[in-house]
């Protein structure tokens, strides 16, 4: 009887240890706070309005002081600059499935992304001042039609095929900016990623690219307007070893390891 009793306790302990073992982390849970902030904080809306208000002011300054032969243009990114794709990121958290090209194109095909606060008004303001807006995005050229449809549905100014440049062969936007610069004076660039402004920001191997930002600090607020995006971006790639294929769990571990705490 004693042996049976001890065996019962042992089996019970084994059962409890199995049932209470923590589940492996949802490898998309790192997005929870950033997506929640993006969707639910009034501060996010305020930052967008602040950025676009300042961008309008900079246009006013430039056209008032303009002594240029070329027409003026503004270059803007699309995702998390003009259009809000946070529902896609939220679904990554809810399903536990991260970004893939297939999931992303499934989302963009819905043409459901809404305009970000102040974005449409900014493009209309630029148009009223005779400044053209060019949309340069790293969405694939395969998404051209749905992207144009989404911009038009949201009533953005200059939402036409002549003002939309998507990615064909390279993620660098340098060549596409140069195409615009052939016929226009680019007075302002807006985006959520430093690569939206210049190719000098694309290499972040040295201290996450902090030094380059410091070197170019006078251009922020003058030529470059950065929009907030804590959900994703080129900044995260510098946390991971270059040239390695990493699983979601490996990325999860490296993100935690990269955090700087205190002693």
């Amino acid at each position: 009887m004693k042996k049976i009793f001890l065996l019962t306790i042992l089996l019970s302990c084994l059962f409890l240890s199995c049932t209470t073992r923590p589940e492996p982390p949802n490898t998309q849970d790192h997005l929870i706070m950033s997506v929640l902030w993006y969707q639910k904080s009034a501060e996010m809306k305020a930052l967008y309005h602040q950025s676009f208000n300042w961008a309008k002011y900079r246009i006013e300054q430039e056209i008032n002081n303009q002594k240029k032969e070329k027409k003026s243009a503004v270059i803007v990114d699309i995702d998390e600059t003009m259009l809000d794709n946070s529902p896609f990121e939220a679904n990554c958290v809810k399903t536990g499935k991260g970004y893939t090209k297939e999931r992303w194109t499934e989302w963009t095909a819905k043409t459901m992304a809404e305009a970000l606060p102040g974005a449409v008004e900014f493009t209309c303001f630029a148009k009223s001042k005779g400044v053209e807006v060019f949309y340069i995005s790293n969405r694939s050229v395969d998404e051209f039609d749905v992207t144009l449809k989404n911009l038009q549905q949201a009533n953005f100014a200059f939402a036409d095929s002549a003002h939309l440049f998507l990615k064909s062969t390279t993620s660098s936007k340098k060549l596409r900016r140069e195409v615009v610069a052939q016929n226009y004076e680019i007075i302002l660039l807006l985006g959520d990623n430093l690569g939206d402004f210049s190719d000098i920001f694309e290499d972040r191997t040295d201290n996450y690219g902090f030094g380059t930002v410091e070197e170019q600090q006078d251009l922020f607020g003058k030529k470059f307007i950065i929009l907030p995006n804590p959900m994703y971006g080129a900044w995260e790639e510098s946390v991971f070893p270059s040239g390695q294929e990493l699983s979601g769990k490996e990325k999860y571990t490296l993100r935690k390891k990269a955090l700087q705490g205190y002693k």
Side-chain angles (χ1 to χ4, degrees):
M1 178 67 89
K2 186 176 181 181
K3 288 182 179 180
I4 294 174
F5 178 72
L6 290 173
L7 182 60
T8 302
I9 292 177
L10 179 60
L11 289 172
S12 298
C13 291
L14 286 172
F15 176 76
L16 286 172
S17 67
C18 291
T19 56
T20 58
R21 182 181 299 166
E23 291 291 321
N26 176 343
T27 57
Q28 302 306 305
D29 276 357
H30 66 282
L31 287 168
I32 291 176
M33 285 300 290
S34 58
V35 176
L36 196 60
W37 179 87
Y38 203 81
Q39 293 185 337
K40 302 300 182 184
S41 74
E43 287 80 1
M44 173 271 194
K45 291 184 179 297
L47 277 170
Y48 273 87
H49 283 303
Q50 175 178 269
S51 298
F52 285 119
N53 285 343
W54 183 251
K56 291 177 187 176
Y57 177 68
R58 285 296 299 127
I59 285 179
E60 290 274 19
Q61 286 184 314
E62 286 295 319
I63 61 176
N64 287 338
N65 299 325
Q66 197 170 41
K67 297 178 181 179
K68 305 177 180 74
E69 295 181 1
K70 292 181 179 180
K71 293 182 289 185
S72 296
V74 169
I75 291 178
V76 299
D77 176 48
I78 294 178
D79 299 312
E80 281 50 76
T81 299
M82 297 284 117
L83 292 177
D84 178 1
N85 299 284
S86 63
F88 172 80
E89 306 298 330
N91 269 21
C92 289
V93 176
K94 290 178 179 292
T95 62
K97 297 177 181 178
Y99 170 90
T100 64
K101 183 179 179 181
E102 292 72 27
R103 293 190 192 107
W104 172 254
T105 53
E106 181 183 343
W107 157 250
T108 58
K110 296 178 184 294
T111 66
M112 289 174 55
E114 296 182 358
L116 284 157
V120 171
E121 295 82 356
F122 169 73
T123 64
C124 293
F125 174 84
K127 184 176 182 179
S128 73
K129 298 296 180 180
V131 178
E132 295 190 33
V133 179
F134 287 87
Y135 302 87
I136 299 183
S137 167
N138 274 341
R139 289 189 178 198
S140 167
V141 290
D142 296 337
E143 300 168 84
F144 192 94
D145 290 342
V146 295
T147 300
L148 188 56
K149 180 181 178 181
N150 203 157
L151 291 171
Q152 290 172 342
Q153 286 177 170
N155 295 316
F156 281 97
F158 299 103
D160 57 54
S161 58
H163 291 82
L164 179 61
F165 292 78
L166 301 187
K167 180 177 71 173
S168 56
T169 57
T170 175
S171 295
S172 174
K173 297 181 175 181
K174 181 176 184 291
L175 295 178
R176 284 171 279 169
R177 287 191 294 261
E178 288 176 351
V179 170
V180 176
Q182 288 175 4
N183 298 306
Y184 295 85
E185 184 70 28
I186 301 169
I187 61 174
L188 197 62
L189 300 98
L190 293 86
D192 65 310
N193 191 76
L194 292 172
D196 296 328
F197 307 137
S198 171
D199 58 307
I200 63 172
F201 296 112
E202 290 173 11
D203 183 2
R204 304 194 189 202
T205 53
D206 182 18
N207 194 28
Y208 303 98
F210 291 169
T212 309
V213 169
E214 289 302 314
E215 290 169 4
Q216 305 297 322
Q217 60 179 285
D218 292 344
L219 291 176
F220 292 97
K222 183 178 181 180
K223 186 74 176 282
F224 308 148
I225 306 255
I226 192 87
L227 283 304
N229 177 8
M231 299 180 291
Y232 66 88
W235 57 269
E236 193 176 10
E237 295 306 311
S238 56
V239 173
F240 308 133
S242 62
Q244 291 187 25
E245 288 290 331
L246 300 171
S247 68
K249 289 181 181 179
E250 288 171 326
K251 288 184 176 181
Y252 179 90
T253 301
L254 287 169
R255 288 187 189 101
K256 291 184 72 174
K257 187 178 179 180
L259 292 172
Q260 239 176 309
Y262 65 91
K263 296 181 181 179

